[in-house]
Amino acid sequence: MTVNPGAAEAPHRQIAMMLRERIRRGEWGPGERLPAIPAIALEYGVAKQTIQRTIDQLRVEGVLITRPGSGTFVRGTKRRLNRLSRGRYGAQRGYHADLAARYRQHLLEVGHGPAPHDVAEAFGVAAGSTLVVRRHLVRTQDVPVEVGAAWLRPSDADGTALARAEVFDRPLYQEVEEATGRTYTTATDQITARLPSRDEAELLQIRPDTPVLVLMHVAFDQRGKAIEVSQAVWPGPVTQLTEKYQIAGERPAVPTDDPDLALG
């Protein structure tokens, strides 16, 4: 565990690689605090400023999280996004107990607000139109992993529990279906990457230059009309997308010795 000053890789990057490997081996587990910067600097024989750059890099990568006044901690394992938003509906449209056990959603705000451009476009209304919004923060192992919002039409939500700061003991879509009499039939998911807003960075406890993944989820009723638009923002370095699907077998009628097919 020594730094090579003559290597092409900068010292703080060399140390980051070594700390990353020590975390992978389990020397520090999720939620455990690392030694103080002066101690790490002494261990590797470098200046404290070098270790600070190392910590900054690992924070951007999502490996570490710094809590003012407490120290630097291992952030934890990556959040796996299995099949995007499909997991929110659970098995056979029931309560997804597995997700509920691992992730705790905290309601931050409920009220009326102007629709952002992309949300307004999904609803087919003008940007800035008033919609009902329910904002939330999701934590796992006391670490924030998601900040998001669900947008609804006032004509659907006003006068119901959807427009009040009430916490439900079942998925939101079930509340919407009961309140509106409309059924969720199809949905689209679109995922993009960008830098976080100031509020998002503060809530997720990440640096402003840490990329985030943004999921736009639009659910439609049986008439093809948007019933809910949800956005979820995740720290990019600690989020991974997993898709599991079947691959079609070879079609028996297609000859395998066709040279044109071999080129494909």
Side-chain angles (χ1 to χ4, degrees):
M1 294 194 302
T2 58
V3 176
N4 180 2
E9 199 76 77
H12 77 278
R13 292 186 179 276
Q14 294 182 51
I15 298 171
M17 181 175 62
M18 289 184 278
L19 290 181
R20 206 182 295 114
E21 177 59 21
R22 292 169 70 179
I23 291 170
R24 188 194 66 79
R25 293 198 309 263
E27 186 168 337
W28 300 292
E32 289 191 37
R33 184 172 62 184
L34 267 65
I37 286 178
I40 301 177
L42 181 63
E43 179 180 358
Y44 286 100
V46 298
K48 290 185 291 184
Q49 292 86 341
T50 300
I51 300 303
Q52 184 61 63
R53 293 186 67 188
T54 299
I55 298 299
D56 287 344
Q57 176 183 329
L58 293 177
R59 286 178 60 198
V60 170
E61 293 178 8
V63 176
L64 302 177
I65 182 171
T66 299
R67 297 171 185 158
S70 298
T72 301
F73 300 78
V74 177
R75 186 174 183 102
T77 56
K78 290 190 174 183
R79 184 187 185 193
R80 294 173 175 82
L81 306 180
N82 294 300
R83 303 184 70 81
L84 298 180
S85 284
R86 303 177 206 186
R88 76 190 296 235
Y89 298 109
Q92 299 171 347
R93 293 171 57 83
Y95 188 64
H96 203 309
D98 178 54
L99 288 179
R102 289 184 287 127
Y103 299 106
R104 299 295 180 186
Q105 186 178 105
H106 305 272
L107 190 62
L108 299 178
E109 175 191 3
V110 179
H112 291 77
H117 177 79
D118 48 358
V119 174
E121 186 176 41
F123 273 117
V125 300
S129 296
T130 299
L131 296 175
V132 172
V133 57
R134 299 177 61 89
R135 303 186 190 277
H136 67 266
L137 176 70
V138 176
R139 292 178 174 271
T140 181
Q141 298 175 344
D142 203 34
V143 174
V145 294
E146 172 185 311
V147 59
W151 300 82
L152 303 162
R153 296 175 184 270
S155 57
D156 287 333
D158 283 349
T160 74
L162 298 171
R164 298 191 293 268
E166 293 189 18
V167 177
F168 307 125
D169 59 359
R170 59 178 178 173
L172 178 63
Y173 79 90
Q174 292 182 346
E175 294 289 338
V176 175
E177 288 185 331
E178 182 174 307
T180 64
R182 298 160 64 191
T183 303
Y184 283 55
T185 304
T186 60
T188 62
D189 289 331
Q190 182 181 51
I191 194 164
T192 56
R194 60 168 171 78
L195 292 178
S197 68
R198 181 176 179 179
D199 287 344
E200 290 166 348
E202 289 180 357
L203 286 169
L204 292 171
Q205 298 178 16
I206 58 176
R207 286 170 46 117
D209 55 354
T210 303
V212 293
L213 297 178
V214 182
L215 174 69
M216 167 78 82
H217 175 75
V218 185
F220 301 90
D221 64 12
Q222 58 270 41
R223 296 176 297 168
K225 186 177 181 180
I227 187 172
E228 177 199 342
V229 178
S230 296
Q231 290 180 320
V233 180
W234 303 300
V238 293
T239 305
Q240 67 182 37
L241 170 63
T242 302
E243 283 278 359
K244 183 178 181 180
Y245 52 89
Q246 296 293 323
I247 299 175
E250 183 179 317
R251 290 178 293 175
V254 178
T256 58
D257 58 351
D258 189 327
D260 291 332
L261 292 176
L263 294 176

